[in-house]
Amino acid sequence: MGMTRDDETSFGFRTVKTGDKARLVRSVFDSVASKYDLMNDLMSGGVHRIWKSVLLDRIGPQPNERLVDVAGGTGDIAAGFLKRADARPSADRKPPAKAIICDINYEMLKAGEDRPDMAAFGDRLTRVTGDAETLPFPDKSFDAYTIAFGIRNVTDMNAALRDAYRVLKPGARFFCLEFSHPITDGLQKAYDAYSFNVIPKLGEMVANDRDSYQYLVESIRKFPAQDAFAARIREAGFSNVKYENLTAGVAAIHSGWRV
Ligand code: SAM
């Protein structure tokens, strides 16, 4: 990964002023919001659903728990969390689980709100615009924090990790699902060929936006490798930090506890 000055950061393979990145990221997701769910299915052949399902397995949602799904976009994780908590045998004896989707981009939240599968949750599922670096929530508010395919878009990842720690209750859990780095050179080459040649073209055809999907694949390559990212989570204060590779490292789930 290349070095940048303090007032510069990466936006995909470009180096940009730190203060400009959030605006550039916002314009990417403004542009793709209405086609976001469709593009996820097309780009991954539906595999993102399996990864999200594994994430929900690891979380093990329970009734009476409160989740914040940061960079939650259209809300797959928050909705899955509530569905699973509701399906627990103890669900009819305890207060129901609640979830908040927090995203910097109103268009992404709006695209999720319009999904028919979200209506069932009523006011147990709420949406708030906010930046992962400075979440609009009090300290020690949540039993679980998730960020799926979101943290690589955040300008100051360390600030986001510190704020994740701040909003979690002692004994609560942090989970990050993110594209990562394939564990074999052969797979990395095949993955690069697919991502750099196919995904921007798909973006152009389906969402009429090649540049946003070019950014997406570049930002994946710039994201720290599994061990380096785990170290940053530890530096933010989390304990029992670990990760699990999915599809041989194409994606990974990192987790940690606030003790
Ligand atoms: N979590 C959803 C999912 O897995 O389908 C959406 C992931 S989407 C690739 C990334 C999301 O991160 C977008 O909705 C974007 O608006 C949001 N985002 C980017 N930077 C953010 C920030 N600094 N704070 C909060 N959300 C951010």
Side-chain angles (χ1 to χ4, degrees), residues 25 29 36 40 52 71-73 103-105 108 130-132 148-149 153-154:
V25 168
F29 289 102
Y36 177 78
N40 268 356
K52 287 171 176 170
D103 197 288
I104 204 163
N105 191 306
M108 288 293 286
D131 189 333
F149 305 115
N153 299 298
V154 171

